[in-house]
Amino acid sequence: MWPLQAAAVAWVVAAWVEGSSEHSAVALLVFAAAALLRAVLDYCAGGYLFKAADITITRERSALIQREARARSAHSSAEIAALMVQKLPLLQPWITRYYIAMVRVAVIPLVLAALCFWLSWVAALILLIAGPLIPVFMVLVGMAAESASRKQMDEIGSMNAMLMERLSAMLDIRLLGAVDRALGDFSERAEGLRLKTMAVLRIAFLSSAVLELFSAIGVAMLAVFVGFTLLGAINFGTWGNTLGLAEGLFILLIAPEFFQPLRDLAAAWHDRAAGLSVASELEDLDAAERVAFVGSGNAAQPLEGPLSIDLAAAVAALPGKALALPDLALSAGQSLALMGPSGAGKSTTLACIAGLLPLKEGRLMVCGQALSDSNADAWRARIALIPQTPQFPDQSLAEWLDPEGRGLDPWPALRMAEAEAVVTGLADALQTRLGESGGGVSGGEARRLMIARAILSGRELIIADEPTADLDPESAAAVIRALLRLQEQGHSLLVATHDPALAAAMDRAIEVAP
């Protein structure tokens, strides 16, 4: 549109200088119509590009969530969260700015140079000399920008991982008096991220300065040529015709537009570097070794047969490593405790028995059948899991306690779990919505609520991971009593614990060696 607008402006100005206003209204109407059409096209193109970016980011985020939920990799959850929340949105400017800038650079400067060449080969030559210098320096600067951007992205991921690690260990940090050191470590990493971000910005400003320098030189040289030609000091470069005021103005008006796509590309070059860093991280995740849980994760009817577990000579298939598991057997109505130091494999053993991790070697028989993709969902339909860290979704306690919506009365289960007073003490009782990690109740109260939920589920096998961890003796005793009531009603218990009192309350205990 701009060459048409530039021609209209040059025509009107030249006519006014010559004392003629003939057809000026037509030229101004052409200018306004072209401006309106350009605005409409820009609006439509912007909407299309942002929609494409939103679709791309949503697709990648959904794929990440689905894959990481079903097939774990060695990457930490903090790194995955940083990628989904902080880094994936960086694809938007890459899509909406960089790609369109590349197309414009490939088309518009050549079209404008051809128009200048039609009027003056010298003007076109000036543009063609000044123009290519910009991409050359952009490539040189861009190589440094890509490296700096990748370092910045890596620092964001590692800083998130460190933050999650420190938050999860906050109680231990405070007990050990290491709060100041933890703050110092975080401050040091934050300073490192600041320096890496500033390095990226310095390169971005450098590329802009280089671009503006060469574009200003190109426009200035063109203005000198046109000015001296109109003054009669230069009489070559116009194919034998005289370069009039209208032609000179037209060349000067389209010269900045010759460099504008290059400006846009330089402005989007950092977007390219950030987008490539995110794409590279996505490719690394695609290629990462990962382990999927057994089964499809869909609802299924409970597996038939008397409840039993037989784990022998088993090795868990963890991302990037294998972990030997203890031999154990459990029958209906029995209770078993797994004891051992942190990292020995207690939680991994529970996850393998629940089919949340596959076995690399060995045998796992459940209800007389080998656990496989065909029966894992049915096996999990007989299991109630009490994880070490409570997780409460955004729903009322009444809905959470009865997830299958069977309309069961929760109060008998709450009394059995010694959690009745916990609910009655809440402002909205069963209509209360707790925070994700159980905000509003203590750790022991959250565990007892989870036991009540397991009771209401009616599932025979209760798997509890460190149910008394971090609890005071009174709260731990209440949790142990609630678990024993479950066993008295015929449930089987399988717990991982460091608590000698809980282990002594079970029928048997197995020591898990690291």
Side-chain angles (χ1 to χ4, degrees):
M1 294 295 102
W2 180 244
L4 185 61
Q5 292 177 282
V9 171
W11 183 16
V12 169
V13 172
W16 287 346
V17 170
E18 293 170 2
S20 173
S21 59
E22 187 179 1
H23 304 305
S24 294
V26 174
L28 294 175
L29 184 62
V30 170
F31 180 89
L36 179 61
L37 181 58
R38 183 175 181 172
V40 170
L41 291 174
D42 281 342
Y43 176 81
C44 294
Y48 177 82
L49 288 168
F50 275 93
K51 182 179 179 181
D54 289 343
I55 290 173
T56 301
I57 294 170
T58 301
R59 182 191 67 222
E60 293 298 328
R61 184 173 287 143
S62 177
L64 274 173
I65 292 173
Q66 292 292 330
R67 185 176 61 192
E68 294 302 323
R70 292 177 173 268
R72 297 169 55 191
S73 68
H75 291 76
S76 71
S77 59
E79 291 174 318
I80 302 298
L83 177 59
M84 287 192 292
V85 177
Q86 295 175 275
K87 299 180 184 180
L88 275 180
L90 296 177
L91 292 176
Q92 185 186 73
W94 189 30
I95 294 170
T96 57
R97 296 174 60 187
Y98 174 71
Y99 279 110
I100 193 68
M102 284 292 292
V103 175
R104 287 167 60 86
V105 164
V107 176
I108 292 178
L110 294 178
V111 172
L112 298 183
L115 290 174
C116 283
F117 186 76
W118 179 54
L119 295 173
S120 168
W121 61 267
V122 171
L125 184 62
I126 292 172
L127 294 178
L128 292 177
I129 291 174
L133 292 175
I134 297 173
V136 170
F137 280 92
M138 281 174 54
V139 170
L140 295 175
V141 174
M143 293 168 64
E146 187 172 338
S147 175
S149 183
R150 188 181 297 276
K151 292 177 181 177
Q152 182 195 30
M153 294 297 107
D154 292 343
E155 188 67 24
I156 290 174
S158 61
M159 188 172 176
N160 274 274
M162 186 197 73
L163 178 60
M164 292 299 295
E165 179 186 344
R166 296 296 189 274
L167 288 175
S168 63
M170 185 57 67
L171 180 61
D172 295 331
I173 290 173
R174 294 179 65 183
L175 289 174
L176 293 171
V179 174
D180 291 338
R181 180 172 179 179
L183 287 174
D185 290 345
F186 189 75
S187 177
E188 184 179 342
R189 297 299 291 273
E191 178 64 14
L193 177 59
R194 185 190 71 83
L195 292 175
K196 289 179 172 61
T197 302
M198 291 305 298
V200 173
L201 292 176
R202 279 196 297 270
I203 295 171
F205 288 134
L206 173 62
S207 62
S208 298
V210 170
L211 170 69
E212 292 300 328
L213 172 64
F214 284 103
S215 61
I217 291 174
V219 173
M221 290 177 63
L222 202 58
V224 169
F225 168 75
V226 171
F228 278 101
T229 300
L230 293 177
L231 291 173
I234 296 178
N235 55 9
F236 63 89
T238 56
W239 306 108
N241 300 319
T242 302
L243 189 67
L245 179 60
E247 292 83 358
L249 283 174
F250 177 75
I251 291 174
L252 291 177
L253 285 171
I254 65 173
E257 284 296 309
F258 175 88
F259 294 100
Q260 188 58 48
L262 298 172
R263 287 191 179 94
D264 295 339
L265 184 59
W269 200 257
H270 171 65
D271 301 328
R272 171 188 178 274
L276 285 176
S277 297
V278 175
S280 175
E281 197 162 337
L282 289 172
E283 289 176 357
D284 291 342
L285 270 177
D286 290 341
E289 181 183 356
R290 51 187 68 249
V291 178
F293 62 73
V294 186
S296 62
N298 296 319
Q301 291 298 315
L303 187 64
E304 296 180 356
L307 191 140
S308 65
I309 301 172
D310 182 13
L311 183 67
V315 176
L318 294 171
K321 64 178 181 178
L323 180 66
L325 305 179
D327 294 345
L328 62 87
L330 184 70
S331 300
Q334 294 182 340
S335 60
L336 174 64
L338 301 178
M339 296 195 70
S342 297
K346 302 186 300 297
S347 298
T348 301
T349 301
L350 298 184
C352 287
I353 290 173
L356 301 179
L357 279 175
L359 293 182
K360 185 176 183 180
E361 301 174 13
R363 181 188 73 212
L364 174 56
M365 305 292 291
V366 294
C367 301
Q369 305 177 32
L371 186 67
S372 64
D373 287 327
S374 62
N375 61 15
D377 294 327
W379 166 239
R380 281 190 286 267
R382 298 182 68 167
I383 299 174
L385 179 65
I386 301 175
Q388 182 174 355
T389 304
Q391 296 288 333
F392 294 90
D394 185 21
Q395 57 183 188
S396 68
L397 273 176
E399 295 173 306
W400 178 77
L401 288 168
D402 186 18
E404 297 177 10
R406 293 179 292 175
L408 300 176
D409 181 9
W411 292 108
L414 290 169
R415 282 190 289 272
M416 185 176 174
E418 300 187 25
E420 185 178 21
V422 176
V423 176
T424 56
L426 296 171
D428 296 320
L430 286 173
Q431 298 308 310
T432 301
R433 292 173 181 260
L434 297 176
E436 181 179 347
S437 58
V441 297
S442 67
E445 291 170 340
R447 303 272 171 77
R448 279 178 274 160
L449 287 173
M450 298 180 78
I451 292 173
R453 188 175 192 259
I455 295 170
L456 274 176
S457 72
R459 300 185 176 185
E460 301 153 86
L461 176 61
I462 310 300
I463 295 180
D465 190 4
E466 300 284 3
T468 60
D470 306 322
L471 301 184
D472 60 81
E474 184 179 345
S475 297
V479 169
I480 294 172
R481 290 194 299 269
L483 290 173
L484 291 178
R485 291 190 192 101
L486 277 171
Q487 186 179 5
E488 291 171 0
Q489 291 203 345
H491 293 272
S492 301
L493 302 179
L494 180 59
V495 301
T497 183
H498 289 95
D499 186 357
L502 175 57
M506 300 294 103
D507 296 336
R508 290 179 295 125
I510 294 177
E511 189 72 24
V512 181

